[in-house]
Amino acid sequence: MRNLLIVVVLLFASLSVNAATQVSISIGSPSLRIGVSLNEYPRLVPIRGYPVYYAPGVDSNYFFYDGLYWVYQDDSWYASSWYNGPWGYVDPYAVPEYILRVPVRYYPRPPVYFRPWPREAPPRWDDHWGRDWHDRRADWDHWDHRNVPKPLPLPLYQRSYKGDRYPDADRQRDLQQRNYRYQPRNPVVIAHYQNERQQYDQWRSQRQQRENESRNAYEQRQQHEREEQQRRREEDQRQQERRRQDEQQRRRDQDQRQQDQHQEDQRRDQQQQEQRQQEQRQQEQRQRDQQQEQRNQEQRQRDQQQQDQHQQQLRREEDQRQQERRRQDQQQQQNRREQDQRNEQQNRDQQQRDKQQREQQAREQQQRTQQQQEQRQQQVRQQQDRQQQDQQRQQEQQQNQTRAQEQRHNDDQKNRARENDRRNEKEKSDREKSDREKSDREKSDKDRDQK
């Protein structure tokens, strides 16, 4: 009974708006699917200054207040006693005041018409739902901020029910009655819980009636089974009597067969004795053949050991040649580094001389400033000198770049040489280890064969 009607609540509220009026409000049947699909219990955070929780990780306007979950979607409010529904439509006149007072900033998916409103203030429901709603709910945004009730505890037992374990409507009511004992304060929610409790009691009485009927049917089946067992026992007794008679006849036949079998065993024992003698002679011949095979195997092992020793000698000689080549490469690299250092020192000396020359030319230029013609000639020469110096600096920069590239190339060669050395040493140690293991296995096989 998933689509069972839960509550239609009539709440009479006296509001002093020119005259006293009576309002009919309701929470609809919790059988709706509104597009909110949660695979597990959401994280709910209390809103400071309000007895309301909100879910920052849910992609919907999702709240918890006074024992119910509330969702504002498609310009309508929905409520449910379980975190993933089913949901019931809530009339705008029945929405609790503290839900209406939640500021706009706590709506993760606010409607478009929320945008002009301040984020720290509640939505302007009276502007949105019209004058009739405002006349009936005129005091919804007037309350004492210092006297706010504490929020009810969350029904955390629902965390254990997620995915395929999420209960149906009947099971939800049963779990709610047994695990959540806190009483709501809002009249609409109180009426909702009272109707749920009435329907839970009705469902429990129906379940008790079904259990009684099942118990009566079970007792009738038990009585029928006892009668059937009595008939079976009588039939078993008759069958046991027939089996005793058959057993006596089988024993007499078995005694006769045992006598025949004894004679047959004597003949078989004589045949087996002859066969064992024949097998013993064959076993001796096989032992002689095995001894000959063992001697042949030892000869093959000696030949294999000699061949392995020869291969090891060849590998050691190859390793020595590789080490000699690496030493030569290292010596060449060291010579190149020394040559690079000498070239670098020469370049620094040349730069120092060039600097001194430029300083001398500057002093001469100051002396020739007294004559105008000589000044122009000096300016021409200075321009030429600067061009030459620029060319020299460019050449020096190119040379520096070339030396840097050569240095990086030399470093790469060194790294590759070191990596090759490590790889060769590792291969050598692996080969020696493999040879030792092979030699140990051969020795152990030889000792086992000798034993």
Side-chain angles (χ1 to χ4, degrees), residues 177 183 192-202:
Q177 293 292 332
Q183 298 298 323
H192 170 79
Y193 271 100
Q194 288 176 353
N195 278 272
E196 264 198 350
R197 189 172 295 106
Q198 291 176 0
Q199 293 200 1
Y200 171 75
D201 295 338
Q202 182 180 0

Side-chain angles (χ1 to χ4, degrees), residues 386-428:
R386 283 195 294 273
Q387 292 177 356
Q388 291 177 359
Q389 291 173 4
D390 293 337
Q391 292 177 358
Q392 290 177 0
R393 281 196 296 274
Q394 292 177 358
Q395 292 176 358
E396 290 175 357
Q397 291 178 358
Q398 292 177 357
Q399 291 176 359
N400 292 331
Q401 292 178 358
T402 304
R403 285 195 296 273
Q405 291 177 357
E406 291 177 354
Q407 182 67 25
R408 286 195 296 272
H409 179 68
N410 293 332
D411 294 338
D412 294 338
Q413 288 182 348
K414 292 178 185 177
N415 293 330
R416 285 196 294 271
R418 286 195 293 271
E419 184 65 25
N420 291 331
D421 292 341
R422 288 196 294 272
R423 191 181 300 109
N424 292 329
E425 290 176 359
K426 184 177 180 181
E427 291 177 355
K428 181 179 178 181

Side-chain angles (χ1 to χ4, degrees), residues 68-93:
L68 291 181
Y69 302 90
W70 303 82
V71 172
Y72 185 69
Q73 185 165 314
D74 297 334
D75 202 21
S76 298
W77 280 99
Y78 301 91
S80 175
S81 58
W82 275 72
Y83 69 91
N84 197 27
W87 302 92
Y89 170 77
V90 183
D91 191 277
Y93 299 105

